[in-house]
């Protein structure tokens, strides 16, 4: 017996948080902090690394000492079977928790048992034959919801049921022998699965739709309503078939995520390219992907250039240019060019596989609305059954109509009694919402978070890497003497071309973007790095310095006018650099983190949703306020350490209620854990962020935060619509049954018709358009 031990983090808590082991990372600093070459502390963690370090523990994890085992149960595709399994397994000693994935027909059991044979025997006893899913094994594909044989028998049943009704109507005799034979044919061809499940429910004292339908059909046969019993069985089977096809559509929406990666990869073996199954390709293998093909595995480009469609991962359909050193994600599509790359993760651990796995697991975490519906249904069905019994007993005593009439109405109420429409509406809606989010590059880790997004009143956003690009960029070149701006930038780039510091690279990239091609960079001799100040080198036999305010002071070249210009730059959160030769300062340059072009629109969308945006930053208050003003945020708070961000979240909760924290760095960990929803930005390719965040935006587009909130509102609205529809339809037919005007036909339409309506309504979320 293979068992899986849970690989999940501990129960969600404020502190302490778990930080995944990484290389040491320094927190963002203000422009005036001590640092190296340019006086700016080296940020050794980019957004992707920071995202990998943040942790926001899940809220629905089993105890750490419980083992885990997964079963495929092909007979389980409805909340009816879920309740039957719960009633059977939950009282068993050693069972810790049961998680159900009805769409994927998977049951996960958390337990403290040495032998699982009693569990398997109990499942077999209730007709739920389990198939063990081994640790790490990919579940086999489910059979079609309605195979050809089932369609044939359903057609035969329909013809027989219609013929039985026609016989009764033409002859005026419900008990006509031909009608009775046709009714038996209809019941045997489509009703046996229902009757079998009804018998199992009866044996295990479970009130479900199969037990109630079996009772209603049996009662109808006893009182001589043969043709009507046949038609009820056929209509019930037809409705179940349509519902199964609808649920299959939702299942395919989820399975399509993991099916995006190809089954084989072109691998370099010896001296040839060989096609290999992706499961056999090991980390470090060399693969090739050509135009029109999907990337088979996560990898890093070693040769070639190409444009890729990364929509399967990030939801962004615009092609992304890839070159040597860039990351490739499994499932993305090469639109042009050819790439060679080294595999960085096995097929089972690719970003795409982790996303699909996370959504599969999210289906088992019930949303608050779903828990309410389940609790409501637990009391609703017995009450209605008792009401039906009272109708059968009291009807003849309180009215002039006979017992046959009221027994028939009681049978009608039994069919209406099952809350199938009510219960099935929530998982279908939640799964559709999860799939719709995933298609847009938003990974939501459970129905509770999907539903909770609509409650948010304030969102706290980290500045660096969330609203900004997270890396320095050249923002200003201003000549102070005879040099032109272009010539000053060329000289600065010539010096910084020899430095690997991020600020230096920003100057070089600024030259390449603005003036590359106008003049080549010069040769530098006698190059020196001046620790904490800048760099020095000889260009064309003339000594040049490029550095910070401290370098200017050490060279004794400060002046009131220059001090004022430097102060103006630094007050906006930028790092000022001065280009100096023997004649004195020749130019001012400024480097700073820059606002993402989408950030302003993202903040506007959040405000339109009635959400109060707040910026939380470790940078100085002036820099934070300056960037916040550009983004349209009125509330900006700077100089915050991790504990300060945690305190800020607690204050926002007291002031606004439900709060979300958005971040991408280790410093955001405590705040992410404390907020009602922790949202990770730029999580593609980072295992820890995918596994730990409540919600993960796969790319760096902050506008998707508002998309998530709108999808949450839409999901909640559909859930409420479905509950209102299911209860409303049943109330109408209850009224008809109590007044003696309902028929078994009507009852079937009331129950299964309502189920189909709410299922189709829930599936509308798959077509969600922001």
């Amino acid at each position: 017996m293979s068992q899986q031990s849970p690989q999940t983090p501990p129960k969600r808590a404020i502190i302490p948080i778990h930080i995944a082991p990484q290389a040491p990372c320094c927190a963002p600093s203000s422009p005036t902090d001590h640092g190296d070459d340019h006086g700016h502390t080296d940020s050794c963690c980019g957004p992707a690394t920071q995202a990998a370090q943040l942790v926001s523990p899940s809220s629905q994890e089993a105890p750490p000492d419980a083992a885990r085992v997964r079963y495929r149960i092909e007979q389980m595709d409805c909340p009816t079977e879920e309740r039957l399994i719960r009633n059977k397994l939950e009282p068993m000693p050693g069972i810790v928790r049961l998680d159900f994935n009805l769409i994927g027909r998977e049951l996960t059991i958390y337990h403290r048992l040495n032998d699982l044979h009693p569990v398997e025997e109990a499942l077999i006893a209730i007709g739920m034959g389990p198939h063990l899913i081994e640790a790490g094994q990919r579940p086999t594909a489910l059979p079609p919801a309605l195979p050809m044989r089932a369609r044939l028998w359903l057609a035969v049943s329909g013809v027989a049921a219609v013929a039985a009704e026609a016989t009764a109507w033409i002859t005026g005799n419900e008990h006509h022998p031909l009608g009775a034979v046709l009714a038996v044919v209809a019941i045997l061809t489509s009703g046996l699965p229902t009757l079998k499940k009804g018998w199992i429910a009866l044996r295990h004292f479970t009130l479900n739709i199969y037990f109630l339908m079996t009772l209603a059909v049996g009662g109808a046969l006893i009182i001589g309503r043969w043709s009507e019993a046949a038609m009820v069985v056929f209509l019930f089977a037809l409705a179940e078939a349509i519902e199964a096809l609808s649920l299959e559509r939702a299942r395919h929406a989820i399975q399509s995520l993991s099916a995006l990666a190809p089954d084989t990869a072109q691998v370099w073996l010896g001296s040839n390219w060989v096609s290999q199954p992706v499961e056999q390709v090991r980390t470090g293998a060399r693969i090739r992907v050509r135009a029109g093909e999907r990337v088979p595995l996560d990898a890093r480009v070693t040769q070639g250039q190409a444009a890729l469609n990364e929509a399967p991962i990030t939801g962004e359909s615009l092609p992304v240019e890839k070159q040597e050193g860039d990351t490739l994600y499994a499932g993305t599509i090469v639109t042009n060019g050819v790439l060679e790359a080294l595999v960085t993760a096995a097929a089972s651990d690719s970003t795409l596989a982790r996303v699909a796995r996370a959504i599969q697991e999210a289906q088992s975490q019930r949303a608050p609305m779903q828990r309410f519906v389940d609790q409501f249904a637990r009391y609703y069905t017995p009450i209605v059954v008792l009401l039906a019994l009272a109708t059968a007993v009291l009807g003849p005593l309180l009215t002039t109509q006979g017992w046959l009439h009221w027994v028939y109405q009681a049978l009608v109420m039994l069919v209406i009694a099952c809350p199938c429409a009510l219960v099935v509406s929530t998982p279908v809606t939640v799964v559709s919402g999860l799939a719709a989010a995933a298609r847009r590059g938003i990974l939501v880790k459970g129905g509770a978070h999907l539903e909770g997004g609509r409650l948010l009143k304030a969102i706290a956003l980290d500045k660096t890497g969330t609203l900004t690009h997270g890396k320095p960029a050249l923002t200003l070149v201003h000549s102070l003497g005879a040099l032109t701006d272009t010539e000053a930038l060329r000289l600065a780039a010539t010096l910084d071309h020899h430095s690997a510091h991020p600020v230096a690279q920003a100057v070089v990239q600024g030259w390449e973007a603005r003036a590359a091609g106008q003049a080549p960079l010069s040769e530098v001799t006698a190059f020196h790095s001046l620790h904490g100040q800048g760099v020095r080198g000889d260009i064309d036999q003339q000594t040049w310095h490029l550095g910070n305010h401290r370098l200017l002071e050490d060279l004794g070249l400060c002046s009131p006018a220059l001090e004022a210009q430097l102060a103006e730059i630094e007050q906006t959160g930028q790092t000022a650099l001065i280009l100096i030769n023997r004649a004195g300062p020749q130019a001012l340059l400024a480097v700073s983190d820059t606002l993402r072009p989408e950030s302003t629109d993202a903040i506007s969308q959040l405000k339109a949703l009635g959400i109060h945006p707040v910026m939380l930053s470790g940078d100085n208050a002036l820099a934070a306020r300056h960037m916040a003003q550009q983004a349209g945020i009125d509330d900006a708070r700077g100089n915050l350490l991790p504990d300060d961000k945690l305190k800020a979240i607690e204050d926002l909760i007291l002031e606004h209620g439900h709060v979300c924290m958005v971040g991408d760095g280790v410093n955001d960990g405590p705040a992410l854990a404390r907020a009602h929803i922790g949202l990770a930005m730029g999580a593609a390719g980072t295992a820890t962020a995918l596994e730990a965040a409540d919600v993960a935006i796969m790319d760096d587009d902050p506008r998707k935060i508002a998309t998530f909130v709108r999808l949450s509102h839409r999901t909640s609205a559909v859930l409420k619509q479905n509950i209102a529809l299911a209860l409303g339809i049943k109330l109408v037919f209850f009224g008809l049954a109590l007044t003696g005007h309902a028929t078994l036909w009507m009852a079937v339409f009331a129950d299964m018709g309502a189920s189909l309506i709410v299922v189709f309504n829930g599936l509308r979320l798959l077509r969600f358009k922001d």
Side-chain angles (χ1 to χ4, degrees):
M1 182 61 60
S2 173
Q3 300 174 9
Q4 295 175 333
S5 299
Q7 305 294 322
T8 47
K11 185 176 177 63
R12 185 183 182 97
I14 300 174
I15 50 177
I17 62 166
H18 169 72
I19 303 300
Q22 298 283 344
C25 180
C26 39
S29 64
S30 69
T32 56
D33 286 343
H34 295 285
D36 52 17
D37 295 355
H38 290 76
H40 190 77
T41 302
D42 188 3
S43 177
C44 57
C45 295
T49 305
Q50 292 173 340
Q53 290 176 316
L54 66 87
V55 170
S56 174
S58 176
S59 59
Q60 291 197 0
E61 302 303 338
D65 60 337
R68 185 182 72 167
V69 65
R70 283 193 306 155
Y71 289 106
R72 162 67 61 77
I73 301 180
E74 294 183 3
Q75 298 85 356
M76 181 185 72
D77 59 358
C78 175
T80 300
E81 283 91 10
E82 176 183 341
R83 176 51 50 195
L84 184 63
I85 293 172
R86 284 192 183 278
N87 290 348
K88 187 68 175 179
L89 296 187
E90 283 185 339
M92 294 179 64
I95 298 296
V96 177
R97 196 181 80 200
L98 304 177
D99 284 351
F100 291 84
N101 175 357
L102 297 179
I103 304 298
R105 299 183 185 179
E106 289 184 18
L107 167 64
T108 301
I109 302 175
Y110 293 90
H111 65 91
R112 299 190 185 98
L113 299 171
N114 295 322
D115 183 10
L116 287 171
H117 282 98
V119 173
E120 295 178 356
E121 290 172 358
L123 289 170
I124 293 171
I126 56 176
M128 300 289 149
H131 300 281
L132 179 69
I133 301 175
E134 299 285 353
Q137 176 187 348
R138 182 183 298 179
T140 57
L142 285 169
L146 198 64
M148 187 55 66
R149 182 180 179 184
R151 299 185 187 198
L152 177 62
W153 285 120
L154 189 62
V156 170
S157 176
V159 171
V162 170
E165 278 288 348
T167 300
W169 181 74
I170 293 172
T171 63
N173 181 11
E174 276 278 346
H175 308 287
H176 194 281
L178 178 60
V181 171
L182 290 170
V184 170
V185 171
I187 292 170
L188 292 178
T189 50
S190 66
L192 286 182
T194 299
L195 298 176
K196 179 183 177 181
K197 291 179 180 179
W199 170 243
I200 292 173
L202 177 63
R203 283 170 42 215
H204 294 89
F205 309 103
T206 301
L207 288 176
N208 60 30
I209 184 61
Y210 302 110
F211 169 72
L212 298 174
M213 280 295 301
T214 300
L215 196 59
V217 170
L221 293 175
I222 291 173
I223 64 176
R225 303 280 188 130
W226 287 74
S227 59
E228 197 165 355
M231 185 58 74
V232 165
V233 167
F234 165 68
L235 290 175
F236 182 79
L238 177 63
E240 278 213 313
I242 297 173
E243 184 177 310
L245 291 171
S246 303
L247 294 175
E248 186 176 58
R249 180 182 171 192
R251 179 164 60 249
H252 285 166
I254 295 296
Q255 291 176 340
S256 63
L257 292 171
S258 55
L260 288 173
D263 296 326
T264 60
Q266 288 292 316
V267 183
W268 181 258
L269 293 178
S271 59
N272 295 305
W273 290 104
V274 178
S275 179
Q276 268 194 341
V278 292
E279 290 82 3
Q280 297 178 12
V281 181
R282 296 188 177 183
T283 302
R286 180 179 164 195
I287 62 172
R288 179 181 66 184
V289 192
R290 292 172 288 195
E293 296 178 347
R294 290 184 181 270
V295 177
L297 299 143
D298 283 6
R300 190 170 300 280
V301 179
T302 57
Q303 185 177 332
Q305 290 184 327
L308 273 81
N309 178 356
E310 294 190 336
I313 298 295
T314 66
E316 175 56 62
S317 59
L318 292 177
V320 178
E321 295 292 334
K322 297 286 185 177
Q323 57 188 357
E324 186 176 341
D326 288 342
T327 300
L328 301 179
Y329 300 120
T332 55
I333 307 163
V334 179
T335 58
N336 61 57
V338 179
L339 294 172
E340 292 184 16
L342 294 181
V343 175
T344 57
S348 61
D349 199 38
S350 70
T351 300
L352 184 65
R354 291 198 302 270
V355 169
R357 187 162 57 243
I359 296 180
Q360 288 286 92
E361 293 172 356
Q363 297 175 57
S364 66
Q365 298 185 13
R366 294 182 295 173
M369 191 75 75
Q370 190 172 352
R371 290 195 294 269
F372 161 75
V373 166
D374 290 347
Q375 195 67 19
F376 176 84
R378 182 171 299 182
Y379 298 101
Y380 161 84
T381 303
I383 290 173
V384 175
V385 170
L386 290 175
L387 185 59
L389 182 62
T391 299
V393 174
L394 299 178
L397 300 177
L398 301 178
T399 68
T400 58
Q401 293 173 307
W403 70 270
L404 200 61
H405 170 82
W406 288 112
V407 167
Y408 180 80
Q409 294 303 321
L411 296 176
V412 170
M413 294 180 69
L414 287 178
V415 175
I416 302 173
C418 187
C420 200
L422 189 64
V423 177
V424 79
S425 64
T426 48
V428 172
T429 302
V430 168
V431 167
S432 298
L434 294 174
R439 288 177 177 176
R440 285 154 184 80
I442 305 170
L443 177 62
V444 185
K445 301 294 291 293
H449 307 308
L450 180 61
E451 193 178 334
R454 69 183 177 88
L455 302 173
L456 295 176
K457 299 301 179 185
I459 291 184
L461 303 105
D462 175 52
K463 178 178 76 71
T464 306
T466 299
L467 293 173
T468 67
H469 288 98
K471 58 183 180 180
L474 183 70
T475 55
L476 172 71
V477 179
H478 176 60
S479 176
L480 300 174
L483 294 175
T484 65
D485 289 351
T486 300
E487 182 62 16
L489 179 57
R490 188 185 72 84
L491 290 166
T494 297
L495 289 168
D496 270 344
H497 186 68
H498 295 266
S499 173
H501 189 276
V503 172
Q505 291 303 305
V507 173
V508 175
Q509 291 168 7
W511 161 257
E512 293 172 348
R514 297 186 185 194
Q518 296 186 22
L521 296 179
S522 301
E523 291 293 327
V524 179
T525 59
F527 177 83
H528 291 283
S529 175
L530 307 175
H531 182 69
Q533 295 183 336
V535 295
R536 182 187 69 204
D538 292 346
I539 302 175
D540 297 330
Q541 298 182 344
Q542 183 176 4
T543 300
W544 290 87
H545 291 79
L546 179 65
N548 57 20
H549 196 164
R550 194 178 302 110
L551 174 64
L552 190 68
E553 291 177 345
D554 283 358
L555 293 176
L557 297 174
C558 276
S559 67
L562 195 55
E563 288 279 358
Q565 288 179 289
L566 291 174
E568 183 179 351
I569 291 173
E570 291 174 347
Q571 283 177 358
T572 60
Q574 301 180 84
T575 297
L577 305 175
I578 309 99
L579 181 66
I580 307 166
N581 66 5
R582 62 190 174 188
Q586 297 299 312
L588 280 176
L589 294 86
V591 170
S592 75
D593 195 3
T594 55
L595 193 72
R596 294 186 187 278
E598 309 89 0
S599 293
T600 303
D601 186 25
I603 298 304
S604 297
Q605 292 185 39
L606 291 176
K607 287 182 176 180
L609 290 167
I611 295 175
H612 177 66
V614 181
M615 177 187 285
L616 304 181
S617 176
D619 285 354
N620 67 66
L622 284 174
R625 279 199 292 270
H626 176 74
M627 196 64 71
Q629 287 173 358
Q630 293 184 52
I633 298 177
D634 301 321
D635 188 351
R637 309 175 190 186
N639 292 319
L640 299 181
L641 296 173
D643 287 344
D644 298 325
K645 289 186 178 183
L646 172 61
K647 179 63 166 58
I649 291 296
E650 292 175 338
D651 292 342
L652 287 171
I653 290 174
L654 290 175
E655 182 180 355
H656 296 280
H658 279 70
V659 173
C660 172
M661 174 66 195
V662 183
D664 74 333
V666 63
N667 291 341
D668 305 319
L672 284 158
R674 179 65 181 92
H676 294 92
I677 294 179
L679 193 151
M681 291 292 296
T686 55
T688 306
L690 286 175
E691 292 170 3
D694 299 327
V695 180
I697 305 294
M698 302 304 292
D699 59 4
D700 295 311
D701 190 348
R703 293 174 297 185
K704 290 183 179 178
I705 303 170
T707 299
F708 160 66
V709 175
R710 281 191 288 268
L711 179 59
S712 176
H713 279 281
R714 182 72 60 83
T715 302
S716 178
V718 171
L719 284 170
K720 291 176 181 176
Q721 290 168 10
N722 283 345
I723 291 173
L725 282 168
L727 290 179
I729 291 172
K730 287 187 178 293
L731 284 174
V732 169
F733 282 89
F734 276 139
L736 291 173
L738 287 172
T739 57
H741 294 89
T743 66
L744 281 175
W745 281 43
M746 292 182 183
V748 172
F749 281 121
D751 181 71
M752 297 310 295
S755 295
L756 295 178
I757 289 172
V758 299
V759 165
F760 286 131
N761 192 42
L763 289 174
R764 286 193 305 122
L765 283 174
L766 292 175
R767 301 191 300 272
F768 170 76
K769 293 182 180 180
D770 191 28

